[in-house]
Amino acid sequence: MSLASQALPLVGVAVGAMVSLVVSALNERTRWRRQQSVRWDERRLNAYVEYAHSVKDLSNRYRGLAIARGLTTGPTPLELTDAVLEELAAAETHRSALAEALWLLGDVDNTAAVKLNHALWHLEWLARGIPTTGIATWSEAFLEFRKAREDFLKAARCDLGVRGARITHDVPWPPPWRPSNNTGAGRP
């Protein structure tokens, strides 16, 4: 046998080993990237969910204050006491901390989140009786809040790759079964 015929199988084995090594490395790298993506997707989802929940919780508390002040109607008025102010401050601090996680992990349009914050704070000021400019009624401010919340949720869904852009349907507020003398907006 010639030297070339003896070397050919060895070269084939070496090339096969190199191809196998490269393919294994690429597969491992792809698997690692997929695991990292899933890990961060879960954290981003949690950041969006927790933030949205804290905003909704605060809006419901502000609605309770608005009910107590006669700005809207509803079943759960909340009197503005020192204890309630402390709870609201703690809830706002929690919302702010969750916002930091959102800014770090999320790819949401910051404009949507900032507009949501502004709409929430507008509800707070109205509910607490702090003078504001522009939209002056609870109902108008609450509709502005609902729109800002919907825009935020749409941006979050887009970032998370959730299909479909529609979150709510055009449902009139107040619903037809509510008395027409109702001046308030309902739950977000």
Side-chain angles (χ1 to χ4, degrees):
M1 274 205 202
S2 71
L3 184 59
S5 63
Q6 290 178 352
L8 195 57
L10 290 175
V11 169
V13 167
V15 168
M18 289 298 291
V19 168
S20 177
L21 180 66
V22 168
V23 168
S24 286
L26 289 174
N27 283 339
E28 184 62 28
R29 184 173 158 189
T30 301
R31 187 177 65 78
W32 183 83
R33 283 185 176 169
R34 188 173 32 247
Q35 286 174 339
Q36 291 300 312
S37 176
V38 167
R39 175 181 163 203
W40 289 112
D41 284 349
E42 288 174 3
R43 289 186 179 187
R44 277 198 342 251
L45 173 63
N46 287 337
Y48 285 129
V49 168
E50 289 176 13
Y51 183 77
H53 177 74
S54 71
V55 167
K56 188 171 183 176
D57 177 56
L58 277 167
S59 74
N60 285 334
R61 291 177 191 217
Y62 298 146
R63 182 172 181 262
L65 293 176
I67 292 168
R69 290 193 62 236
L71 300 176
T72 188
T73 59
T76 54
L78 183 62
E79 294 297 328
L80 193 59
T81 64
D82 288 341
V84 168
L85 283 173
E86 286 179 25
E87 289 176 12
L88 288 172
E92 176 59 27
T93 299
H94 181 67
R95 185 215 52 81
S96 180
L98 292 173
E100 294 301 320
L102 188 69
W103 304 141
L104 288 171
L105 297 173
D107 205 18
V108 71
D109 178 5
N110 283 343
T111 304
V114 169
K115 285 181 179 179
L116 178 59
N117 287 338
H118 288 189
L120 178 68
W121 295 330
H122 190 189
L123 291 181
E124 176 190 15
W125 280 37
L126 289 173
R128 292 179 62 187
I130 301 170
T132 64
T133 59
I135 296 173
T137 69
W138 177 265
S139 295
E140 292 170 326
F142 193 81
L143 289 174
E144 176 186 53
F145 168 77
R146 286 180 61 184
K147 173 72 171 111
R149 184 172 179 270
E150 183 175 331
D151 290 346
F152 171 79
L153 293 175
K154 282 180 183 176
R157 288 169 54 100
C158 181
D159 177 38
L160 293 168
V162 177
R163 287 188 221 158
R166 184 170 241 172
I167 294 173
T168 60
H169 298 283
D170 294 330
V171 178
W173 187 261
W177 53 265
R178 300 265 314 247
S180 61
N181 64 354
N182 182 351
T183 60
R187 299 175 190 208

